[in-house]
Coordinates of all heavy atoms in Angstrom, one line a residue:
M1 N 22.4 -12.8 -25.5 CA 22.1 -11.6 -24.7 C 21.4 -12.1 -23.4 O 21.7 -11.5 -22.3 CB 21.3 -10.6 -25.5 CG 21.1 -9.4 -24.8 SD 22.7 -8.6 -24.6 CE 22.3 -6.9 -24.6
V2 N 20.5 -13.1 -23.5 CA 19.8 -13.5 -22.4 C 20.8 -14.1 -21.4 O 20.7 -13.9 -20.2 CB 18.7 -14.6 -22.8 CG1 18.1 -15.3 -21.6 CG2 17.7 -13.9 -23.6
R3 N 21.7 -14.9 -21.8 CA 22.7 -15.5 -20.9 C 23.5 -14.5 -20.2 O 23.8 -14.6 -19.0 CB 23.6 -16.5 -21.7 CG 22.9 -17.6 -22.3 CD 23.7 -18.4 -23.2 NE 22.9 -19.0 -24.2 CZ 23.4 -19.6 -25.3 NH1 24.7 -19.8 -25.4 NH2 22.6 -20.1 -26.2
I4 N 24.0 -13.4 -20.9 CA 24.8 -12.4 -20.3 C 24.0 -11.7 -19.2 O 24.5 -11.5 -18.1 CB 25.3 -11.4 -21.4 CG1 26.3 -12.2 -22.3 CG2 26.0 -10.2 -20.7 CD1 26.7 -11.3 -23.5
L5 N 22.8 -11.3 -19.5 CA 21.9 -10.5 -18.6 C 21.6 -11.4 -17.3 O 21.7 -10.9 -16.2 CB 20.6 -10.1 -19.2 CG 20.7 -9.0 -20.3 CD1 19.4 -8.8 -20.9 CD2 21.3 -7.7 -19.6
T6 N 21.4 -12.7 -17.6 CA 21.1 -13.6 -16.5 C 22.3 -13.7 -15.6 O 22.2 -13.7 -14.3 CB 20.6 -14.9 -17.0 OG1 19.5 -14.7 -17.8 CG2 20.3 -15.9 -15.9
V7 N 23.4 -14.0 -16.1 CA 24.7 -14.1 -15.3 C 25.0 -12.9 -14.6 O 25.3 -12.9 -13.4 CB 25.8 -14.6 -16.2 CG1 27.1 -14.6 -15.4 CG2 25.6 -16.0 -16.7
V8 N 24.9 -11.7 -15.2 CA 25.1 -10.5 -14.5 C 24.1 -10.3 -13.3 O 24.5 -9.9 -12.2 CB 25.1 -9.3 -15.5 CG1 25.1 -7.9 -14.8 CG2 26.3 -9.4 -16.4
N9 N 22.9 -10.5 -13.6 CA 21.9 -10.4 -12.5 C 22.2 -11.4 -11.4 O 22.0 -11.0 -10.2 CB 20.5 -10.7 -13.1 CG 19.9 -9.6 -13.9 OD1 20.4 -8.5 -13.9 ND2 18.9 -9.9 -14.7
L10 N 22.5 -12.6 -11.7 CA 22.8 -13.6 -10.6 C 24.0 -13.2 -9.8 O 24.0 -13.3 -8.6 CB 22.9 -15.0 -11.2 CG 21.7 -15.6 -11.7 CD1 22.0 -16.9 -12.5 CD2 20.7 -16.0 -10.6
I11 N 25.0 -12.7 -10.5 CA 26.2 -12.3 -9.8 C 25.9 -11.1 -8.9 O 26.4 -11.0 -7.7 CB 27.4 -12.0 -10.8 CG1 27.9 -13.3 -11.4 CG2 28.5 -11.2 -10.1 CD1 28.9 -13.1 -12.5
A12 N 25.2 -10.1 -9.4 CA 24.9 -8.9 -8.6 C 24.0 -9.2 -7.4 O 24.3 -8.8 -6.3 CB 24.2 -7.9 -9.5
L13 N 23.0 -10.1 -7.6 CA 22.2 -10.5 -6.5 C 22.9 -11.3 -5.5 O 22.8 -11.1 -4.3 CB 20.9 -11.3 -7.0 CG 19.9 -11.6 -6.0 CD1 19.2 -10.3 -5.5 CD2 18.9 -12.5 -6.6
G14 N 23.8 -12.2 -6.0 CA 24.6 -13.0 -5.0 C 25.6 -12.2 -4.3 O 25.8 -12.4 -3.1
A15 N 26.2 -11.2 -4.9 CA 27.2 -10.4 -4.3 C 26.5 -9.5 -3.2 O 27.0 -9.3 -2.1 CB 28.0 -9.5 -5.3
S16 N 25.3 -8.9 -3.6 CA 24.7 -8.1 -2.6 C 24.1 -8.8 -1.4 O 24.1 -8.3 -0.4 CB 23.5 -7.3 -3.3 OG 22.5 -8.2 -3.7
S17 N 23.8 -10.1 -1.6 CA 23.4 -10.9 -0.5 C 24.5 -11.4 0.3 O 24.4 -11.6 1.5 CB 22.6 -12.2 -1.1 OG 21.5 -11.7 -1.8
S18 N 25.6 -11.7 -0.3 CA 26.8 -12.2 0.4 C 27.6 -11.1 1.2 O 28.2 -11.4 2.2 CB 27.8 -12.9 -0.6 OG 27.1 -13.9 -1.2
F19 N 27.6 -9.9 0.6 CA 28.3 -8.8 1.2 C 27.3 -7.6 1.5 O 27.4 -6.6 0.8 CB 29.4 -8.3 0.3 CG 30.3 -9.4 -0.1 CD1 30.3 -9.9 -1.4 CD2 31.2 -10.0 0.8 CE1 31.1 -11.0 -1.8 CE2 32.1 -11.0 0.5 CZ 32.0 -11.5 -0.9
P20 N 26.4 -7.8 2.4 CA 25.4 -6.7 2.6 C 25.9 -5.4 3.1 O 25.4 -4.3 2.7 CB 24.4 -7.3 3.7 CG 25.2 -8.4 4.4 CD 26.2 -8.9 3.4
K21 N 27.0 -5.3 3.9 CA 27.5 -4.1 4.3 C 28.2 -3.3 3.1 O 28.1 -2.1 3.1 CB 28.6 -4.3 5.4 CG 28.0 -4.8 6.7 CD 29.0 -4.9 7.8 CE 28.3 -5.4 9.0 NZ 29.2 -5.6 10.1
A22 N 28.8 -4.0 2.2 CA 29.4 -3.4 1.1 C 28.4 -2.8 0.1 O 28.6 -1.8 -0.5 CB 30.3 -4.3 0.3
F23 N 27.2 -3.4 0.0 CA 26.2 -3.0 -0.9 C 25.1 -2.1 -0.2 O 24.1 -1.7 -0.9 CB 25.5 -4.2 -1.5 CG 26.3 -4.8 -2.6 CD1 27.4 -5.7 -2.4 CD2 26.1 -4.4 -4.0 CE1 28.1 -6.2 -3.4 CE2 26.9 -5.0 -5.0 CZ 27.9 -5.9 -4.7
A24 N 25.3 -1.8 1.0 CA 24.2 -1.0 1.8 C 24.1 0.3 1.1 O 22.9 0.8 1.0 CB 24.6 -0.9 3.2
A25 N 25.1 1.0 0.8 CA 25.0 2.3 0.2 C 24.3 2.3 -1.2 O 23.6 3.2 -1.5 CB 26.4 2.9 0.0
L26 N 24.5 1.2 -1.9 CA 23.9 1.0 -3.2 C 22.4 0.9 -3.1 O 21.6 1.5 -3.8 CB 24.5 -0.2 -3.9 CG 23.8 -0.5 -5.3 CD1 24.2 0.5 -6.3 CD2 24.3 -1.9 -5.7
W27 N 21.9 0.2 -2.1 CA 20.5 -0.1 -1.9 C 19.7 1.1 -1.4 O 18.5 1.2 -1.6 CB 20.3 -1.3 -1.0 CG 20.7 -2.6 -1.6 CD1 21.8 -3.3 -1.2 CD2 20.1 -3.3 -2.7 NE1 21.9 -4.5 -2.0 CE2 20.9 -4.4 -2.9 CE3 19.0 -3.0 -3.5 CZ2 20.5 -5.4 -3.9 CZ3 18.7 -4.0 -4.5 CH2 19.5 -5.1 -4.7
R28 N 20.4 2.1 -0.8 CA 19.7 3.2 -0.1 C 19.2 4.2 -1.1 O 18.1 4.8 -0.9 CB 20.6 3.8 0.9 CG 20.7 3.0 2.1 CD 21.3 3.8 3.3 NE 21.6 2.8 4.3 CZ 22.9 2.6 4.7 NH1 23.9 3.2 4.1 NH2 23.1 1.7 5.6
G29 N 19.9 4.5 -2.1 CA 19.6 5.6 -3.0 C 18.7 5.3 -4.2 O 18.0 4.3 -4.2
A30 N 18.7 6.2 -5.1 CA 17.9 6.0 -6.3 C 18.5 4.8 -7.1 O 17.7 4.1 -7.8 CB 18.0 7.2 -7.2
S31 N 19.8 4.5 -7.0 CA 20.3 3.4 -7.8 C 19.8 2.1 -7.2 O 19.6 1.1 -8.0 CB 21.9 3.4 -7.7 OG 22.3 3.3 -6.4
G32 N 19.5 2.0 -5.9 CA 18.9 0.8 -5.4 C 17.5 0.6 -5.9 O 17.1 -0.5 -6.2
A33 N 16.7 1.7 -6.0 CA 15.4 1.5 -6.5 C 15.4 1.1 -8.0 O 14.6 0.3 -8.4 CB 14.6 2.9 -6.4
A34 N 16.3 1.7 -8.7 CA 16.5 1.3 -10.1 C 16.9 -0.1 -10.3 O 16.4 -0.8 -11.2 CB 17.5 2.3 -10.8
L35 N 17.8 -0.6 -9.4 CA 18.2 -2.0 -9.5 C 17.1 -2.9 -9.2 O 16.9 -4.0 -9.8 CB 19.4 -2.2 -8.5 CG 20.1 -3.5 -8.6 CD1 20.7 -3.7 -10.0 CD2 21.2 -3.6 -7.6
I36 N 16.3 -2.6 -8.2 CA 15.1 -3.5 -7.9 C 14.1 -3.5 -9.0 O 13.6 -4.5 -9.4 CB 14.4 -3.0 -6.6 CG1 15.3 -3.3 -5.4 CG2 13.1 -3.7 -6.4 CD1 15.6 -4.8 -5.1
K37 N 13.9 -2.3 -9.6 CA 13.0 -2.3 -10.8 C 13.6 -3.2 -11.9 O 12.8 -3.9 -12.6 CB 12.8 -0.9 -11.3 CG 11.9 -0.1 -10.3 CD 11.8 1.4 -10.8 CE 11.1 2.2 -9.7 NZ 11.0 3.6 -10.1
W38 N 14.9 -3.1 -12.1 CA 15.5 -3.9 -13.2 C 15.4 -5.3 -12.9 O 15.1 -6.1 -13.8 CB 17.0 -3.5 -13.3 CG 17.7 -4.5 -14.2 CD1 18.6 -5.4 -13.7 CD2 17.5 -4.8 -15.6 NE1 19.0 -6.2 -14.8 CE2 18.4 -5.8 -15.9 CE3 16.7 -4.2 -16.5 CZ2 18.4 -6.3 -17.2 CZ3 16.8 -4.7 -17.8 CH2 17.6 -5.8 -18.1
Y39 N 15.5 -5.7 -11.7 CA 15.4 -7.2 -11.3 C 13.9 -7.6 -11.6 O 13.7 -8.7 -12.1 CB 15.7 -7.4 -9.8 CG 17.1 -7.4 -9.4 CD1 17.5 -7.2 -8.1 CD2 18.1 -7.5 -10.4 CE1 18.8 -7.2 -7.7 CE2 19.5 -7.5 -10.0 CZ 19.8 -7.4 -8.7 OH 21.1 -7.4 -8.3
F40 N 12.9 -6.8 -11.2 CA 11.5 -7.2 -11.5 C 11.3 -7.3 -13.0 O 10.7 -8.3 -13.5 CB 10.6 -6.2 -10.9 CG 10.2 -6.5 -9.5 CD1 10.7 -5.7 -8.5 CD2 9.4 -7.5 -9.2 CE1 10.4 -5.9 -7.2 CE2 9.0 -7.8 -7.9 CZ 9.5 -7.0 -6.8
I41 N 11.7 -6.3 -13.7 CA 11.5 -6.3 -15.2 C 12.2 -7.4 -15.9 O 11.6 -8.1 -16.7 CB 12.0 -4.9 -15.8 CG1 11.0 -3.8 -15.3 CG2 12.0 -5.0 -17.3 CD1 11.5 -2.4 -15.6
S42 N 13.4 -7.7 -15.5 CA 14.2 -8.7 -16.2 C 13.6 -10.1 -15.8 O 13.6 -11.0 -16.6 CB 15.7 -8.7 -15.8 OG 15.9 -8.9 -14.5
A43 N 13.2 -10.3 -14.5 CA 12.6 -11.6 -14.1 C 11.3 -11.9 -14.9 O 11.0 -13.0 -15.1 CB 12.3 -11.5 -12.6
L44 N 10.6 -10.8 -15.3 CA 9.4 -11.1 -16.1 C 9.7 -11.1 -17.6 O 9.1 -12.0 -18.3 CB 8.4 -9.9 -15.9 CG 7.9 -9.8 -14.4 CD1 7.0 -8.6 -14.3 CD2 7.0 -11.1 -14.1
L45 N 10.5 -10.2 -18.1 CA 10.7 -10.1 -19.6 C 11.7 -11.1 -20.2 O 11.5 -11.5 -21.3 CB 11.2 -8.7 -19.9 CG 10.1 -7.6 -19.8 CD1 10.6 -6.3 -20.2 CD2 8.9 -8.0 -20.5
L46 N 12.7 -11.6 -19.4 CA 13.6 -12.6 -20.0 C 12.9 -13.9 -20.4 O 13.0 -14.4 -21.5 CB 14.8 -12.8 -19.1 CG 15.9 -11.7 -19.0 CD1 16.9 -12.0 -18.0 CD2 16.5 -11.5 -20.4
P47 N 12.1 -14.5 -19.4 CA 11.4 -15.7 -19.9 C 10.4 -15.4 -21.0 O 10.2 -16.3 -21.9 CB 10.7 -16.2 -18.6 CG 11.5 -15.6 -17.5 CD 12.0 -14.3 -18.0
L48 N 9.7 -14.3 -20.9 CA 8.8 -13.9 -21.9 C 9.4 -13.8 -23.3 O 8.9 -14.2 -24.3 CB 8.0 -12.6 -21.6 CG 7.0 -12.2 -22.5 CD1 5.8 -13.2 -22.6 CD2 6.5 -10.8 -22.1
S49 N 10.6 -13.1 -23.4 CA 11.3 -13.0 -24.6 C 11.8 -14.3 -25.2 O 11.7 -14.5 -26.4 CB 12.5 -12.0 -24.5 OG 13.5 -12.6 -23.7
V50 N 12.2 -15.2 -24.3 CA 12.6 -16.5 -24.8 C 11.4 -17.3 -25.3 O 11.5 -18.0 -26.4 CB 13.3 -17.3 -23.7 CG1 13.5 -18.8 -24.0 CG2 14.6 -16.7 -23.3
A51 N 10.3 -17.2 -24.7 CA 9.0 -17.8 -25.2 C 8.6 -17.3 -26.5 O 8.2 -18.1 -27.4 CB 7.9 -17.6 -24.1
I52 N 8.7 -16.0 -26.7 CA 8.3 -15.4 -28.0 C 9.3 -15.8 -29.1 O 8.8 -16.2 -30.2 CB 8.3 -13.8 -27.9 CG1 7.1 -13.4 -27.0 CG2 8.2 -13.2 -29.2 CD1 7.1 -12.0 -26.6
V53 N 10.5 -15.8 -28.8 CA 11.5 -16.3 -29.8 C 11.3 -17.7 -30.1 O 11.5 -18.2 -31.3 CB 12.9 -15.9 -29.4 CG1 14.0 -16.6 -30.3 CG2 13.2 -14.4 -29.3
S54 N 11.0 -18.5 -29.1 CA 10.8 -20.0 -29.3 C 9.6 -20.2 -30.3 O 9.7 -21.1 -31.1 CB 10.5 -20.7 -28.0 OG 11.7 -20.6 -27.2
V55 N 8.5 -19.4 -30.1 CA 7.4 -19.6 -30.9 C 7.7 -19.1 -32.4 O 7.3 -19.8 -33.3 CB 6.2 -18.8 -30.4 CG1 5.1 -18.7 -31.4 CG2 5.7 -19.4 -29.1
L56 N 8.4 -18.1 -32.5 CA 8.8 -17.6 -33.8 C 9.8 -18.4 -34.6 O 9.8 -18.5 -35.8 CB 9.3 -16.1 -33.7 CG 8.3 -15.1 -33.2 CD1 9.0 -13.7 -33.1 CD2 7.1 -15.0 -34.2
A57 N 10.7 -19.1 -33.8 CA 11.7 -19.9 -34.4 C 11.5 -21.4 -34.2 O 12.4 -22.2 -34.3 CB 13.1 -19.5 -33.9
R58 N 10.3 -21.8 -34.1 CA 10.0 -23.2 -33.8 C 10.3 -24.2 -34.9 O 10.6 -25.3 -34.7 CB 8.6 -23.4 -33.3 CG 7.5 -23.2 -34.4 CD 6.1 -23.4 -33.8 NE 5.1 -23.0 -34.8 CZ 4.5 -21.8 -34.8 NH1 4.8 -20.9 -33.8 NH2 3.7 -21.5 -35.7
K59 N 10.4 -23.7 -36.2 CA 10.7 -24.5 -37.3 C 12.1 -24.5 -37.7 O 12.6 -25.3 -38.5 CB 9.8 -24.1 -38.5 CG 8.4 -24.2 -38.2 CD 7.5 -24.0 -39.5 CE 6.1 -24.1 -39.1 NZ 5.2 -24.4 -40.2
V60 N 12.9 -23.7 -37.0 CA 14.4 -23.7 -37.3 C 15.1 -24.6 -36.3 O 15.1 -24.4 -35.1 CB 14.9 -22.2 -37.1 CG1 16.4 -22.2 -37.4 CG2 14.2 -21.3 -38.0
T61 N 15.6 -25.7 -36.8 CA 16.2 -26.7 -35.9 C 17.6 -26.3 -35.4 O 18.0 -26.7 -34.4 CB 16.4 -28.0 -36.7 OG1 17.1 -27.8 -37.8 CG2 15.0 -28.6 -37.0
I62 N 18.2 -25.4 -36.1 CA 19.6 -25.0 -35.7 C 19.5 -24.2 -34.3 O 20.4 -24.3 -33.5 CB 20.2 -24.1 -36.7 CG1 20.4 -24.9 -38.0 CG2 21.6 -23.5 -36.3 CD1 20.8 -24.1 -39.2
E63 N 18.5 -23.4 -34.2 CA 18.4 -22.6 -33.0 C 17.8 -23.3 -31.8 O 17.7 -22.7 -30.7 CB 17.5 -21.4 -33.3 CG 18.0 -20.5 -34.4 CD 19.2 -19.7 -33.8 OE1 19.3 -19.3 -32.7 OE2 20.2 -19.5 -34.6
R64 N 17.3 -24.5 -31.9 CA 16.6 -25.2 -30.8 C 17.5 -25.3 -29.6 O 17.1 -25.1 -28.5 CB 16.1 -26.5 -31.3 CG 15.2 -27.2 -30.3 CD 14.5 -28.4 -30.8 NE 13.6 -27.9 -31.8 CZ 13.1 -28.6 -32.8 NH1 13.5 -29.8 -33.0 NH2 12.3 -28.1 -33.7
K65 N 18.7 -25.8 -29.7 CA 19.7 -25.9 -28.6 C 20.0 -24.6 -27.9 O 19.9 -24.6 -26.7 CB 20.9 -26.6 -29.1 CG 21.9 -26.9 -28.1 CD 21.6 -28.2 -27.3 CE 22.7 -28.6 -26.5 NZ 22.5 -29.8 -25.7
Q66 N 20.2 -23.6 -28.6 CA 20.5 -22.3 -28.1 C 19.3 -21.7 -27.3 O 19.4 -21.1 -26.3 CB 20.9 -21.3 -29.1 CG 22.3 -21.5 -29.7 CD 22.3 -22.6 -30.8 OE1 21.3 -23.0 -31.2 NE2 23.5 -23.0 -31.2
L67 N 18.1 -22.0 -27.9 CA 16.9 -21.5 -27.2 C 16.6 -22.3 -25.9 O 16.2 -21.7 -24.9 CB 15.7 -21.7 -28.1 CG 15.6 -20.7 -29.2 CD1 14.4 -21.0 -30.2 CD2 15.4 -19.3 -28.7
Q68 N 17.0 -23.6 -25.9 CA 16.8 -24.3 -24.6 C 17.8 -23.8 -23.6 O 17.4 -23.8 -22.4 CB 17.1 -25.8 -24.9 CG 16.0 -26.5 -25.7 CD 16.3 -27.9 -26.1 OE1 17.4 -28.3 -26.0 NE2 15.3 -28.6 -26.7
I69 N 19.0 -23.5 -24.0 CA 19.9 -22.9 -23.0 C 19.5 -21.6 -22.5 O 19.5 -21.3 -21.3 CB 21.3 -22.8 -23.7 CG1 21.9 -24.2 -24.0 CG2 22.3 -22.0 -22.8 CD1 23.1 -24.2 -24.8
D70 N 19.0 -20.7 -23.4 CA 18.5 -19.4 -23.0 C 17.3 -19.6 -22.1 O 17.1 -18.9 -21.1 CB 18.0 -18.6 -24.2 CG 19.2 -18.0 -24.9 OD1 20.4 -18.1 -24.4 OD2 19.0 -17.6 -26.1
A71 N 16.4 -20.5 -22.4 CA 15.2 -20.8 -21.5 C 15.7 -21.3 -20.1 O 15.1 -20.8 -19.1 CB 14.3 -21.8 -22.2
A72 N 16.7 -22.1 -20.1 CA 17.2 -22.6 -18.8 C 17.7 -21.4 -17.9 O 17.5 -21.3 -16.7 CB 18.2 -23.7 -19.0
F73 N 18.5 -20.6 -18.6 CA 19.1 -19.4 -17.9 C 18.0 -18.5 -17.4 O 18.0 -18.0 -16.3 CB 20.1 -18.7 -18.8 CG 21.5 -19.2 -18.7 CD1 21.9 -20.3 -19.5 CD2 22.4 -18.5 -18.0 CE1 23.1 -20.8 -19.4 CE2 23.7 -19.0 -17.9 CZ 24.1 -20.1 -18.6
S74 N 17.0 -18.2 -18.2 CA 16.0 -17.2 -17.9 C 15.1 -17.8 -16.8 O 14.7 -17.1 -15.9 CB 15.2 -16.8 -19.1 OG 14.5 -17.8 -19.6
I75 N 14.8 -19.0 -16.8 CA 14.0 -19.7 -15.8 C 14.8 -19.7 -14.5 O 14.2 -19.5 -13.4 CB 13.5 -21.1 -16.2 CG1 12.4 -20.9 -17.3 CG2 12.9 -21.8 -15.1 CD1 12.0 -22.2 -18.0
A76 N 16.0 -20.0 -14.6 CA 16.9 -20.0 -13.3 C 16.9 -18.7 -12.7 O 16.8 -18.5 -11.5 CB 18.3 -20.5 -13.7
W77 N 17.0 -17.6 -13.5 CA 17.0 -16.3 -12.9 C 15.6 -15.9 -12.3 O 15.6 -15.4 -11.2 CB 17.3 -15.2 -14.0 CG 17.0 -13.8 -13.6 CD1 16.1 -13.0 -14.2 CD2 17.4 -13.1 -12.5 NE1 16.0 -11.8 -13.5 CE2 16.8 -11.8 -12.5 CE3 18.3 -13.4 -11.4 CZ2 17.0 -10.9 -11.5 CZ3 18.6 -12.4 -10.5 CH2 17.9 -11.2 -10.5
C78 N 14.6 -16.3 -13.0 CA 13.2 -16.0 -12.5 C 13.0 -16.7 -11.2 O 12.5 -16.1 -10.2 CB 12.2 -16.4 -13.5 SG 10.5 -15.9 -13.1
L79 N 13.3 -18.0 -11.1 CA 13.1 -18.7 -9.9 C 14.0 -18.2 -8.7 O 13.6 -18.2 -7.6 CB 13.4 -20.2 -10.1 CG 12.4 -20.9 -11.0 CD1 12.8 -22.4 -11.3 CD2 11.0 -20.9 -10.4
T80 N 15.3 -17.9 -9.1 CA 16.2 -17.4 -8.0 C 15.7 -16.0 -7.5 O 15.7 -15.8 -6.3 CB 17.6 -17.2 -8.6 OG1 18.1 -18.4 -9.1 CG2 18.5 -16.6 -7.6
F81 N 15.2 -15.2 -8.3 CA 14.7 -13.9 -7.9 C 13.4 -14.1 -7.1 O 13.2 -13.4 -6.1 CB 14.4 -13.0 -9.1 CG 14.0 -11.6 -8.7 CD1 14.8 -10.8 -7.9 CD2 12.7 -11.1 -9.0 CE1 14.4 -9.5 -7.5 CE2 12.3 -9.9 -8.6 CZ 13.1 -9.1 -7.8
C82 N 12.5 -15.0 -7.5 CA 11.3 -15.2 -6.7 C 11.6 -15.8 -5.3 O 11.0 -15.5 -4.3 CB 10.4 -16.2 -7.5 SG 9.6 -15.4 -8.9
A83 N 12.6 -16.7 -5.3 CA 13.1 -17.3 -4.0 C 13.7 -16.2 -3.1 O 13.4 -16.1 -1.9 CB 14.1 -18.4 -4.2
Y84 N 14.4 -15.3 -3.7 CA 15.0 -14.2 -3.0 C 13.9 -13.2 -2.4 O 14.0 -12.8 -1.3 CB 16.0 -13.4 -3.9 CG 16.6 -12.2 -3.2 CD1 17.6 -12.3 -2.3 CD2 16.1 -10.9 -3.5 CE1 18.1 -11.2 -1.7 CE2 16.7 -9.8 -2.9 CZ 17.7 -9.9 -2.0 OH 18.2 -8.8 -1.4
L85 N 12.9 -13.0 -3.2 CA 11.8 -12.1 -2.8 C 11.0 -12.8 -1.6 O 10.7 -12.1 -0.7 CB 10.8 -11.9 -3.9 CG 11.2 -10.8 -4.9 CD1 10.1 -10.7 -6.0 CD2 11.4 -9.5 -4.3
A86 N 10.8 -14.1 -1.7 CA 10.1 -14.8 -0.7 C 11.0 -14.8 0.6 O 10.4 -14.5 1.7 CB 9.9 -16.3 -1.1
F87 N 12.3 -15.0 0.5 CA 13.2 -14.9 1.7 C 13.1 -13.5 2.3 O 13.0 -13.4 3.5 CB 14.6 -15.3 1.3 CG 15.6 -15.0 2.4 CD1 15.7 -15.8 3.4 CD2 16.4 -13.9 2.3 CE1 16.6 -15.6 4.4 CE2 17.4 -13.6 3.2 CZ 17.5 -14.5 4.3
V88 N 13.2 -12.5 1.5 CA 13.2 -11.1 2.0 C 11.9 -10.8 2.7 O 11.8 -10.2 3.7 CB 13.6 -10.1 0.9 CG1 13.3 -8.7 1.3 CG2 15.0 -10.3 0.5
T89 N 10.8 -11.2 2.1 CA 9.5 -11.0 2.6 C 9.3 -11.6 4.0 O 8.8 -11.0 4.9 CB 8.4 -11.4 1.6 OG1 8.6 -10.8 0.4 CG2 7.0 -11.1 2.2
V90 N 9.7 -12.9 4.1 CA 9.6 -13.6 5.3 C 10.5 -13.1 6.4 O 10.1 -12.9 7.5 CB 9.8 -15.1 5.1 CG1 10.0 -15.9 6.4 CG2 8.7 -15.7 4.2
R91 N 11.7 -12.7 6.0 CA 12.6 -12.3 7.0 C 12.5 -10.8 7.5 O 12.6 -10.5 8.6 CB 14.1 -12.4 6.4 CG 15.1 -11.9 7.4 CD 16.3 -12.7 7.2 NE 17.3 -12.1 8.2 CZ 18.3 -12.8 8.6 NH1 18.5 -14.0 8.2 NH2 19.1 -12.3 9.5
Y92 N 12.1 -9.9 6.5 CA 12.1 -8.5 6.9 C 10.8 -7.8 6.9 O 10.6 -6.8 7.5 CB 13.0 -7.7 5.9 CG 14.5 -8.2 6.0 CD1 15.0 -8.9 4.9 CD2 15.2 -8.0 7.1 CE1 16.4 -9.3 4.9 CE2 16.5 -8.4 7.2 CZ 17.1 -9.0 6.1 OH 18.4 -9.5 6.1
V93 N 9.8 -8.4 6.2 CA 8.5 -7.7 6.0 C 7.5 -8.2 7.0 O 6.8 -7.4 7.6 CB 8.0 -7.8 4.6 CG1 6.6 -7.1 4.4 CG2 9.0 -7.1 3.6
T94 N 7.3 -9.5 7.1 CA 6.3 -10.1 8.0 C 6.7 -9.9 9.4 O 7.9 -10.1 9.7 CB 6.0 -11.5 7.6 OG1 7.2 -12.3 7.7 CG2 5.4 -11.7 6.2
P95 N 5.7 -9.6 10.3 CA 6.1 -9.5 11.7 C 6.4 -10.8 12.4 O 6.1 -11.8 12.1 CB 4.9 -8.8 12.3 CG 3.8 -9.0 11.3 CD 4.4 -9.3 10.0

């Protein structure tokens, strides 16, 4: 589930950054606010959920590889979203 959510988030963020005119209507309304909230929540909760599952399943060797993959995906999403926030803040918010 972590991998699917991460890939969908990355595709949506990449598409909205690559095609800003096509996504302008989406960002203006309530759906844009909900999408930004979802990005924030998922950037915080996906790595947290992987960390919790890692602690709970630390003695199960079968799950270790899958947990490492999930951790890589969730950290990649978190770092990508933080970089996007930094870019948007520097470009549009600061004078």
Side-chain angles (χ1 to χ4, degrees):
M1 189 65 151
V2 171
R3 296 174 212 172
I4 294 170
L5 291 174
T6 302
V7 169
V8 169
N9 285 344
L10 288 170
I11 289 172
L13 187 65
S16 66
S17 299
S18 299
F19 308 106
K21 290 182 181 180
F23 282 83
L26 175 70
W27 291 110
R28 285 195 194 111
S31 60
L35 190 60
I36 291 296
K37 288 177 187 173
W38 166 250
Y39 284 163
F40 273 109
I41 290 169
S42 66
L44 295 173
L45 290 184
L46 284 176
L48 181 65
S49 69
V50 170
I52 291 170
V53 170
S54 297
V55 169
L56 295 176
R58 66 181 173 261
K59 296 189 182 202
V60 180
T61 57
I62 298 171
E63 295 291 323
R64 189 168 294 155
K65 182 79 169 179
Q66 288 83 7
L67 286 173
Q68 290 172 349
I69 294 169
D70 286 347
F73 271 82
S74 65
I75 290 170
W77 163 242
C78 187
L79 292 176
T80 302
F81 183 64
C82 290
Y84 178 76
L85 282 179
F87 170 75
V88 168
T89 302
V90 168
R91 177 148 182 158
Y92 299 112
V93 177
T94 57

